[in-house]
Amino acid sequence: AGLFHLDNFSPGALEIYKEMLTSQKERRAQLRSEKIEIPKSSEIGAKATNLGFILERLAPTLDGFTFDKNDCRSMFDPIDYVIFEGMSKEQKVSKVVFVDIKTGGATLTSKQRKIKKVVDDKKVAFEVYEP
């Protein structure tokens, strides 16, 4: 260890001090660069989210949508659609399906996973409320 007082460095300590200053300058430049990129990535994420919301609402009208759009009832939160298969054409519901639209590699939220588990466990009921 080289001892020093104020800015009177030993040769070894001076070398370490210069390396630390260089490292600090590099880190500051890196942080400035990252700070510039944050708004860009936030903007891209916001655009993707907004596009996802639009596609969720348009999904029943798209060619690849496998359900009859007239059987769809929108909720959008926490699940996008409840579909009553057969309701519009056959006047008889053959199946009730919960559908959530995902774009861009999005995954189910924690709430949606819990809802899926309840449905998978067949813990679904129909009740009539009469105040």
Side-chain angles (χ1 to χ4, degrees):
L3 297 178
F4 62 92
H5 180 262
L6 298 176
D7 61 352
N8 186 12
F9 294 102
S10 67
L14 183 59
E15 185 178 323
I16 292 170
Y17 176 71
K18 287 180 181 178
E19 288 174 10
M20 290 178 73
L21 287 178
T22 302
S23 175
Q24 282 181 342
K25 286 179 186 176
E26 290 171 0
R27 181 65 179 143
R28 282 189 185 114
Q30 180 185 6
L31 288 173
R32 267 191 243 96
S33 173
E34 289 174 6
K35 188 176 181 180
I36 291 169
E37 292 300 317
I38 289 172
K40 290 179 185 175
S41 64
S42 294
E43 182 180 348
I44 290 168
K47 284 180 180 178
T49 299
N50 290 338
L51 181 60
F53 284 138
I54 292 168
L55 287 175
E56 286 172 1
R57 276 123 180 105
L58 295 176
T61 64
L62 300 176
D63 290 336
F65 196 73
T66 58
F67 302 99
D68 185 329
K69 67 179 181 249
N70 296 317
D71 291 347
C72 299
R73 298 299 178 266
S74 56
M75 293 176 59
F76 300 124
D77 186 42
I79 300 293
D80 292 328
Y81 294 95
V82 177
I83 299 172
F84 300 94
E85 272 192 356
M87 183 171 62
S88 62
K89 287 185 180 170
E90 300 161 14
Q91 306 304 309
K92 178 182 172 190
V93 177
S94 60
K95 183 168 45 170
V96 177
V97 183
F98 294 89
V99 175
D100 198 73
I101 311 299
K102 296 292 180 197
T103 58
T107 59
L108 293 176
T109 65
S110 174
K111 281 182 187 179
Q112 291 169 337
R113 284 192 300 275
K114 290 174 184 174
I115 292 168
K116 182 181 183 318
K117 177 153 179 35
V118 168
V119 172
D120 289 345
D121 292 345
K122 297 178 174 57
K123 295 180 181 176
V124 181
F126 181 91
E127 295 184 16
V128 176
Y129 173 71
E130 296 180 18

